[in-house]
Amino acid sequence: MTKSFKITLLPGDGVGPEVTTVAREVLDTVAGETGKKFIYDTQLIGGVAIDEAGDPLPEATIQSCKAADAVLLGAVGGPKWDRAPKRPEAGLLGIRKALGLYANLRPLRVQYALSDRSPLKREVVEGVDLIIFRELTGGIYYGAKSRSTEQASDQCIYTKGEIERIARAAFKAADQRSGKLTSVDKANVMETSRLWRETVSRIGAEEFPQVRLEHILVDAMAMHLVRQPRAFDVILTENMFGDILSDEASMLAGSIGLAPSASLGGSGPGLFEPVHGSAPDIAGQDLANPVGAVLSAAMLLRYGLGLAQEADAVEIAVEGALAAGARTADLGGALGCREVGDAIIREVRRAAMPPGHRMQMHWG
């Protein structure tokens, strides 16, 4: 009997519905080619949820996500809701908290065919293959906030336990990859970073002595990422630093529209989404790059459903489509979102299902 998988779809705002439609069609193609069965439940999140339900994260959305095997999200936010009493981004922060998602994985692999599209020289970015582990539930985003007419404050708090669990996840990945982990902090100034550095160092020494650990201050890391990105493999950092550095790193590949992500936790479902935002200026015009969403769907297959071969096929298909010239305007191409999706689908249908075209990481 064919096993079915439940996937909650959260298209969200702006270009979110467009790119998630393409990602779903790719997943449906995988299902058709492999005999898998995906059952979808589409729910509201973000600005559209405010408009239709009065809340950026309705209870029905939370319950659907908790009952799913994996969650695929498009994007949230837009200037329409900038002055709204409730912000769309609260929906994203809320679902991460509701699902207990503490590890945000953002891989970056520069496609050979796109090396010349990077704002950096080909010889700098060619061969870059790294992954950022960003802590997702602590730090300044979740700390107490206050504001008056004269001042504002955002509290940054980290516990030892929060640091330990994301550190272990990153160390495991580094052990399966190159054996090197780079931890990024601001320990010369911030007490939370001093606790971060002490905790990461202890976990490394006690549990992963075979992994080579280095510590780099976040301002220096921002420089090194554009100067010598091939020097890094697995990068571990806290919430805000990871948010900033991963957006910076995404441009090494030529466009933030290429970048996928996975947010994972304990035993519950993971959340998978492209790194790009809602891009309201191009929403509804078939101009968005769907690759980030499609590669997020590949991460959903790999980490969310345990379907590594199917994930391989999607990643190979994306590489093939890009190499053949299927590109949106952000990559210098002339195709629309749906046309690039169609090109990827054709490649999926042609793709073999190898046991693994590169070393795979295992979550947990």
Side-chain angles (χ1 to χ4, degrees):
M1 182 177 179
T2 301
K3 181 180 178 180
S4 60
F5 298 94
K6 296 179 181 178
I7 300 173
T8 295
L9 294 177
L10 305 177
D13 308 319
V15 300
E18 297 170 69
V19 298
T20 51
T21 294
V22 171
R24 175 176 175 167
E25 291 174 353
V26 170
L27 288 172
D28 286 340
T29 304
V30 169
E33 295 294 314
T34 64
K36 301 295 186 296
K37 184 178 181 181
F38 302 139
I39 300 172
Y40 303 99
D41 182 26
T42 302
Q43 294 288 338
L44 300 172
I45 195 171
V48 66
I50 294 173
D51 290 348
E52 297 189 25
D55 194 313
L57 185 62
E59 183 61 26
T61 298
I62 296 174
Q63 295 307 316
S64 175
C65 291
K66 287 184 174 180
D69 294 302
V71 180
L72 181 64
L73 184 143
V76 298
K80 176 182 177 181
W81 301 281
D82 281 351
R83 298 182 181 275
K86 296 181 179 180
R87 295 293 300 269
E89 294 80 8
L92 180 56
L93 295 177
I95 195 60
R96 288 171 177 169
K97 184 175 182 180
L99 297 179
L101 307 175
Y102 63 84
N104 184 229
L105 281 60
R106 294 190 172 186
L108 173 72
R109 183 167 177 263
V110 176
Q111 307 279 350
Y112 178 80
L114 297 180
S115 295
D116 289 330
R117 294 301 308 172
S118 173
L120 302 182
K121 296 178 180 179
R122 172 186 280 271
E123 56 265 30
V124 174
V125 300
E126 195 169 84
V128 169
D129 185 358
L130 58 83
I131 184 166
I132 295 174
F133 276 68
R134 168 193 171 194
E135 200 287 324
L136 205 55
T137 62
I140 203 165
Y141 291 170
Y142 288 93
K145 304 177 188 306
S146 66
R147 181 175 176 178
S148 69
T149 56
E150 299 297 327
Q151 67 178 25
S153 68
D154 297 273
Q155 190 174 29
C156 183
I157 297 177
Y158 265 109
T159 67
K160 184 170 66 173
E162 288 172 330
I163 300 168
E164 287 175 340
R165 64 185 182 181
I166 186 68
R168 288 191 178 99
F171 271 113
K172 288 177 182 178
D175 193 33
Q176 294 171 16
R177 287 170 58 107
S178 68
K180 177 186 175 183
L181 176 65
T182 302
S183 180
V184 179
D185 58 40
K186 191 63 175 170
N188 60 332
V189 174
M190 298 172 62
E191 287 297 335
T192 49
S193 281
R194 290 174 185 133
L195 177 63
W196 182 281
R197 184 172 293 205
E198 291 169 5
T199 305
V200 172
S201 295
R202 176 175 52 80
I203 294 294
E206 294 176 356
E207 301 179 27
F208 299 91
Q210 72 279 15
V211 174
R212 181 162 58 93
L213 172 64
E214 65 176 354
H215 298 280
I216 298 181
L217 296 175
V218 64
D219 44 350
M221 188 65 190
M223 175 186 67
H224 293 318
L225 266 179
V226 296
R227 187 173 68 88
Q228 51 177 8
R230 284 200 302 269
F232 304 102
D233 184 39
V234 179
I235 299 169
L236 166 67
T237 192
E238 59 110 272
N239 205 341
M240 184 171 69
F241 297 161
D243 193 3
I244 296 167
L245 290 175
S246 59
D247 278 9
E248 178 192 13
S250 71
M251 289 307 298
L252 300 176
S255 170
I256 197 172
L258 298 168
S261 76
S263 298
L264 306 174
S267 59
L271 175 70
F272 305 86
E273 59 177 313
V275 172
H276 65 71
S278 62
D281 55 320
I282 61 170
Q285 301 176 51
D286 193 39
L287 296 175
N289 188 338
V291 169
V294 172
L295 290 177
S296 296
M299 295 186 79
L300 182 153
L301 292 169
R302 187 181 311 285
Y303 298 111
L305 307 183
L307 302 177
Q309 293 183 14
E310 289 80 358
D312 288 344
V314 173
E315 292 171 355
I316 291 170
V318 168
E319 291 179 11
L322 290 172
R327 304 175 192 178
T328 42
D330 56 313
L331 294 173
L335 299 186
C337 180
R338 294 302 298 265
E339 290 177 299
V340 171
D342 290 343
I344 295 171
I345 286 170
R346 288 193 295 271
E347 293 292 331
V348 169
R349 291 185 175 130
R350 283 199 288 262
M353 294 291 180
H357 69 292
R358 70 169 75 101
M359 182 182 293
Q360 308 302 339
M361 292 182 298
H362 301 283
W363 173 252

